[in-house]
Amino acid sequence: MADARKLTLSLIKADVGGWVGHSSSHPALLRRASEVLGNSNLIEDYYVTQAGDDVQLIMTHYNGTDAEGIHKLAWQALEEAASVAHELHLYGAGQDLLVDAFSGNVRGMGPGVAEMEFVERPSEPVLCFMADKTAPGAWNMPLFRMFADPMTTPGLVIDSKMHKGFIFTVHDALEGKTIDLTTPLETYDLLMFLGAPGRFVIDHIRPVWTDEWAAVASTTKLTMIAGRYVGKDDPVCIVRCQSGLPAVGEALEPFAFPHIVPGWMRGSHMGPLMPTSVAGGHPSRFDGPPRVICLGFQIANGKLGEPRDMFDDVAFDLARETASKVGEYLRRHGPFEPHRLPLDELEYTTMAGLQKELESRWKAEKVHKMDKSKARAEGAMELD
Ligand code: F6R
Ligand code: MG
Ligand code: MG
């Protein structure tokens, strides 16, 4: 019989130590985190995996979103994995656990969170997307394409429910506020914000025809919490699929185009987001290029069941090859923009400090080159 209770799907993740450097997670970390989750009777089911150097805890339960017990459990699992990372001298052990003690909710404490509640449908296909070496804005383009672009998702045209549209809740990371915009009517307003993914990121999406959410993403900006550079935020996102929501193939389709995202080496470079299998999700070349993996679950009676590795499909080989070619092209720019991020995005890195050291060496020019009108008036410059 169908369960009318709301099931919660929680995806909580953190980088608690890299193996080797920042390229991957040591299997011992995943084992320890699994043991902790396995000993809990708060959750219905769990699956622990990795996206590059991030440990990913995928859990189902009936405690609702932001439940203290679940967040505490996730924190414990990540803390214990971090202590294994310390024992093994893994790189950056405990990196994303920004505070010493848990205090009610992991949000704002370092880990990334994507959670949503829903009444389980007779068949409940969900996709968990997990990225490494990039930032939450990386989801803007693919989520827009899944839920609002009929060239990607024919369901928006053909399916009578999807045809009604979707409501996007967009988060302003700079000012800490959100706005709801409904597609297709407000598509252009939506794109005005989504096109600036460094500041505006999708928080969640719900269909116009029901209150239940269709997608949710992590929006944590570690830099804003820590006030200093602590790596990119390596975001996660959950998408429910089928029966009035994007088909599984429609939700995967945007990733056939490896769009350019910020992150990669030192979190300071633009590069293509490469879709890979879980086994292929270990960013090595120049600490990248940024990766996205996707596990699909067919939830049944609150249980996740066996995961399917969704990008383990030869049909994504071309996207991987394109990403390699685009990555190679960008790499040839070395430390020049637009491969390297613009200065304002590097403001929290150590580069800002290095620039400060040279501050006293700058000499003011007698006539500012850009101030041509003043120069002309003073006759101080030969003008052509
Ligand atoms: C990117 C990332 C890595 C490091 C790089 C330098 O998000 O984590 O590219 O930034 O390996 O690491 P440190 O400064 O720790 O030597
Ligand atoms: Mg790392
Ligand atoms: Mg990472």
Side-chain angles (χ1 to χ4, degrees):
M1 231 197 60
D3 198 328
R5 285 182 299 168
K6 283 203 169 187
L7 181 72
T8 306
L9 177 57
S10 300
L11 173 44
I12 301 183
K13 48 79 49 183
D15 175 351
V16 290
W19 176 62
V20 172
H22 290 278
S23 64
S24 187
S25 299
H26 195 284
L29 270 58
L30 306 186
R31 279 197 298 270
R32 181 63 66 89
S34 293
E35 279 163 19
V36 175
L37 299 190
N39 286 334
S40 167
N41 50 19
L42 268 183
I43 50 179
E44 297 298 307
D45 202 2
Y46 67 93
Y47 189 79
V48 176
T49 190
Q50 66 181 106
D53 59 3
D54 292 87
V55 174
Q56 310 279 345
L57 313 176
I58 306 170
M59 299 168 284
T60 50
H61 55 92
Y62 290 102
N63 299 274
T65 56
D66 291 314
E68 182 166 347
I70 300 298
H71 280 232
K72 190 172 182 187
L73 176 66
W75 182 263
Q76 270 166 2
L78 293 169
E79 244 188 351
E80 293 213 14
S83 67
V84 176
H86 281 290
E87 281 161 28
L88 297 176
H89 293 207
L90 298 184
Y91 197 70
Q95 178 188 294
D96 285 358
L97 307 182
L98 299 178
V99 294
D100 292 333
F102 175 77
S103 59
N105 193 305
V106 295
R107 286 180 206 272
M109 298 173 76
V113 185
E115 285 186 303
M116 69 171 144
E117 276 184 286
F118 47 84
V119 174
E120 190 185 311
R121 296 171 292 170
S123 184
E124 187 61 65
V126 297
L127 298 177
C128 293
F129 292 94
M130 296 158 269
D132 190 32
K133 305 290 181 275
T134 187
W139 303 132
N140 280 12
M141 189 191 283
L143 283 176
F144 173 81
R145 288 206 156 127
M146 277 176 221
F147 286 93
D149 173 17
M151 302 296 279
T152 302
T153 298
L156 295 165
V157 180
I158 296 169
D159 184 292
S160 56
K161 282 182 175 165
M162 294 180 77
H163 203 91
K164 295 183 179 33
F166 289 89
I167 304 162
F168 286 68
T169 298
V170 178
H171 166 69
D172 177 344
L174 197 65
E175 299 210 346
K177 56 188 184 185
T178 60
I179 186 171
D180 284 357
L181 292 165
T182 304
T183 56
L185 200 62
E186 295 180 305
T187 299
Y188 301 154
D189 295 316
L190 179 65
L191 286 173
M192 202 158 61
F193 298 114
L194 296 191
R199 173 166 173 183
F200 300 101
V201 296
I202 295 170
D203 186 276
H204 64 271
I205 301 169
R206 57 185 200 275
V208 163
W209 50 271
T210 161
D211 280 344
E212 288 207 334
W213 292 12
V216 63
S218 62
T219 55
T220 321
K221 285 233 171 207
L222 286 176
T223 300
M224 302 222 172
I225 301 169
R228 66 188 155 86
Y229 179 76
V230 270
K232 278 287 169 201
D233 306 290
D234 301 340
V236 292
C237 122
I238 302 171
V239 178
R240 295 170 73 208
C241 296
Q242 307 287 157
S243 307
L245 301 175
V248 166
E250 288 170 334
L252 297 174
E253 180 63 9
F255 297 95
F257 171 63
H259 67 299
I260 304 282
V261 296
W264 206 343
M265 174 57 78
R266 298 178 185 277
S268 308
H269 294 81
M270 289 291 188
L273 186 63
M274 182 189 268
T276 61
S277 64
V278 176
H282 308 297
S284 300
R285 184 185 173 185
F286 197 57
D287 286 0
R291 302 296 153 102
V292 54
I293 61 164
C294 177
L295 287 183
F297 295 94
Q298 197 63 62
I299 293 177
N301 302 318
K303 304 267 189 260
L304 288 164
E306 292 292 316
R308 263 221 68 221
D309 190 345
M310 305 309 290
F311 290 133
D312 184 13
D313 176 359
V314 289
F316 284 99
D317 284 351
L318 185 60
R320 294 187 264 271
E321 202 183 312
T322 306
S324 287
K325 283 187 178 152
V326 170
E328 172 64 20
Y329 177 80
L330 284 167
R331 279 302 304 123
R332 300 281 70 83
H333 292 77
F336 288 81
E337 296 177 8
H339 184 29
R340 198 184 71 188
L341 293 188
L343 283 184
D344 59 335
E345 293 204 35
L346 297 180
E347 141 183 45
Y348 290 99
T349 66
T350 41
M351 205 167 86
L354 289 169
Q355 287 185 343
K356 243 194 167 101
E357 282 176 24
L358 295 175
E359 216 159 65
S360 62
R361 306 247 315 260
W362 286 97
K363 296 185 185 90
E365 289 174 337
K366 209 167 171 198
V367 178
H368 194 294
K369 281 206 180 95
M370 298 301 286
D371 197 354
K372 285 195 173 175
S373 57
K374 201 169 158 223
R376 191 180 278 119
E378 290 173 0
M381 201 174 157
E382 273 203 19
L383 299 167
D384 48 21

